[in-house]
């Protein structure tokens, strides 16, 4: 029995494989410890090394096995199939390793720029660039890995050659079908580099106010203020106009409009605006004022400007100022609230006659 095993054509190859795999795992263990130690000063590289640990544990033994199969005699039974299978597994594992490396590097970059701070403009810029570029790179790696696996099959190469030979109409159809994919890919790169929008930006799109919740490889998710989600393709933000309230800063200038009768004195209104704004915790202390910005045949339009650190605080501050002014006028000057006056001809005649009446002696 032992002699038969020793005489088997695969015996030497299997022994080499049984030795190569533990050696590869040992190399993985030692190399991982060394890399983790030397990459600690670089958080992004260190995160990438940690993220690649599981994938590298599979890649190194497959490389060792591939060397063993390549060293085996070519006339060994099934050696061609074993080499092919090992090659497919190695390509798949290498693709997984590349994806994990990209993901780990992105996680390390994001860890250095936390976005949960008050002034997170730079962090949101890095977050958007990192996520979009990482997803684009991972997509390219997956497509390349799949293409390499297909190219190991002779039949797939023949199919590809025949498709290229008859690529007239098929090429046009494929180009038209792939246009949205490539358009979104290019738009994603433009958004990552030029950054018309970033994660957590406050935008007004299609008449809706919301925040950029997610940017994928094909679409953008906008979280509307009432917790609905608006899904838009990446190309929308390259081809169409929209409002970005946090492009360079989250600070905003809010406006409040109040309509009052012409008899309303402005000095008490200014004093009340100053009291309300300075008492409001939403005010950032930069600026406020009150001006009469319009006059109609019935009322005057009073505008109050006030600043806040973010769009959400600006909205709350505007509501506070509006409610405070209405309450003030209702309490102190109710007679000067906007109202419709309808006077009869007899009352108008009496008013014209009143100055001509003589005082009674």
């Amino acid at each position: 029995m032992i002699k038969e095993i020793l005489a088997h054509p695969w015996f030497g190859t299997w022994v080499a494989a049984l030795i190569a795999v533990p050696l590869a795992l040992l190399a993985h263990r030692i190399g991982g410890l060394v890399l983790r130690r030397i990459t600690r000063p670089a958080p992004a590289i260190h995160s990438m090394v940690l993220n690649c640990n599981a994938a590298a544990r599979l890649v190194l033994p497959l490389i060792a096995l591939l060397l063993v199969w390549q060293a085996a005699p070519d006339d060994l039974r099934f050696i061609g199939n074993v080499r092919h299978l090992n090659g497919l597994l190695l390509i798949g594992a290498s693709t997984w390793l590349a994806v994990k490396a990209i993901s780990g590097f992105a996680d390390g970059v994001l860890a250095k720029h936390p976005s949960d701070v008050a002034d997170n403009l730079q962090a949101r810029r890095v977050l958007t660039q990192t996520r979009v570029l990482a997803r684009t790179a991972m997509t390219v790696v997956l497509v390349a890995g799949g293409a390499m696996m297909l190219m190991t099959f002779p039949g797939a190469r023949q199919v590809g050659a025949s498709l290229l030979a008859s690529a007239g109409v098929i090429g046009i159809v494929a180009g038209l079908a792939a246009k949205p994919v490539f358009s979104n890919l290019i738009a994603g790169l433009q958004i990552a580099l030029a950054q018309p929008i970033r994660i957590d930006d406050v935008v007004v799109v299609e008449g809706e106010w919301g925040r950029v919740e997610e940017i994928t490889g094909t679409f953008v998710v906008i979280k509307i203020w009432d917790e609905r989600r608006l899904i838009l393709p990446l190309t929308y933000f390259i081809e169409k106009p929209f409002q970005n309230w946090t492009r360079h800063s989250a600070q905003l200038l809010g406006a409040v409009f109040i309509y009052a009768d012409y008899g309303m004195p402005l000095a008490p209104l200014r004093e009340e605006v100053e009291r309300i704004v300075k008492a409001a915790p939403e005010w950032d202390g930069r600026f406020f004022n009150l001006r009469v910005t319009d006059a109609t045949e019935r009322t005057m339009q009073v505008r109050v400007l006030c600043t806040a650190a973010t769009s959400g605080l600006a909205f709350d501050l505007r509501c506070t100022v509006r409610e405070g002014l209405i309450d003030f006028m209702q309490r102190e000057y109710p007679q000067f609230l906007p109202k419709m006056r309808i006077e009869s001809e007899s009352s108008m005649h009496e008013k014209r006659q009143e100055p001509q009446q003589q005082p009674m002696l």
Side-chain angles (χ1 to χ4, degrees):
M1 182 67 179
I2 296 177
K3 292 182 178 180
E4 293 178 357
I5 295 176
L6 294 176
H8 196 280
W10 274 92
F11 177 75
T13 304
W14 282 117
V15 170
L18 291 175
I19 296 174
V21 170
L23 289 177
L25 292 175
L26 180 61
H28 168 265
R29 179 67 176 174
I30 297 174
L33 292 174
V34 173
L35 288 175
R36 281 196 292 270
R37 182 177 294 273
I38 65 177
T39 57
R40 281 178 182 173
I45 304 298
H46 187 67
S47 175
M48 182 179 66
V49 170
L50 294 177
N51 210 42
C52 292
N53 183 59
R57 190 184 295 118
L58 180 61
V59 170
L60 291 180
L62 286 173
I63 293 176
L65 288 175
L66 183 64
L67 295 177
V68 172
W69 309 143
Q70 293 297 329
D74 293 336
D75 58 351
L76 197 61
R77 190 179 182 186
F78 302 122
I79 189 63
N81 294 331
V82 172
R83 289 171 178 172
H84 187 204
L85 178 60
N86 194 105
L88 290 175
L89 293 175
L90 181 58
I91 293 173
S94 300
T95 303
W96 181 30
L97 178 64
V99 170
K100 296 294 285 184
I102 295 170
S103 176
F105 185 81
D107 291 341
V109 172
L110 297 180
K112 291 179 60 178
H113 300 84
S115 58
D116 55 349
V117 295
D119 187 9
N120 62 353
L121 181 62
Q122 176 64 20
R124 291 189 292 110
R125 180 181 294 113
V126 173
L127 175 64
T128 302
Q129 286 182 332
T130 304
R131 283 190 176 177
V132 174
L133 292 177
R135 287 173 178 170
T136 302
M138 285 189 284
T139 301
V140 173
V141 168
L142 289 172
V143 172
M148 291 176 65
M149 293 179 74
L150 287 175
M151 292 300 292
T152 62
F153 294 92
R157 289 199 295 267
Q158 293 174 3
V159 171
S162 62
L163 287 176
L164 289 175
S166 58
V169 178
I170 296 177
I172 297 175
V173 174
L176 292 175
K179 181 181 177 182
V181 176
F182 290 111
S183 297
N184 280 316
L185 180 62
I186 295 173
L189 293 175
Q190 288 180 285
I191 288 175
L193 299 176
Q195 292 198 333
I197 57 170
R198 294 176 293 266
I199 300 294
D200 206 37
D201 266 349
V202 177
V203 295
V204 179
V205 186
E206 298 290 316
E208 299 282 2
W209 181 95
R211 291 182 179 272
V212 179
E213 184 178 48
E214 185 180 2
I215 302 177
T216 71
T218 54
F219 59 85
V220 178
V221 180
I222 308 295
K223 182 180 180 181
I224 309 301
W225 64 273
D226 57 0
E227 299 192 356
R228 291 177 293 146
R229 299 302 192 274
L230 181 63
I231 312 297
L232 296 168
L234 287 174
T235 53
Y236 181 96
F237 296 91
I238 301 299
E239 300 173 353
K240 296 186 178 181
F242 62 94
Q243 296 183 36
N244 188 337
W245 289 9
T246 53
R247 179 72 176 86
H248 297 291
S249 172
Q251 295 177 337
L252 281 182
L253 178 68
V256 176
F257 293 94
I258 295 291
Y259 293 89
D261 188 83
Y262 281 105
M264 178 68 204
L266 297 177
L269 274 182
R270 286 196 171 92
E271 294 176 1
E272 183 65 14
V273 166
E274 182 177 3
R275 185 193 69 79
I276 294 172
V277 171
K278 290 185 176 180
E282 299 88 358
W283 186 52
D284 62 2
R286 287 189 295 135
F287 174 77
F288 75 91
N289 75 352
L290 180 146
R291 289 287 186 272
V292 177
T293 54
D294 198 6
T296 68
E297 66 275 10
R298 295 187 180 91
T299 60
M300 60 179 177
Q301 183 188 69
V302 180
R303 185 194 67 186
V304 178
L305 297 179
C306 46
T307 58
T310 65
S311 59
L313 294 176
F315 178 82
D316 292 338
L317 179 60
R318 290 166 57 201
C319 293
T320 300
V321 172
R322 188 182 297 111
E323 293 171 3
L325 286 180
I326 292 174
D327 179 71
F328 173 74
M329 292 183 64
Q330 289 174 339
R331 185 178 66 252
E332 302 293 338
Y333 298 94
Q335 68 274 23
F336 296 133
L337 291 171
K339 58 176 66 70
M340 182 72 71
R341 292 188 179 87
I342 301 178
E343 298 181 353
S344 63
E345 292 185 2
S346 58
S347 61
M348 295 175 61
H349 178 73
E350 289 175 358
K351 287 184 178 181
R352 286 195 297 268
Q353 295 297 326
E354 282 178 1
Q356 299 176 4
Q357 294 179 357
Q358 298 296 326
M360 297 180 64
L361 298 177

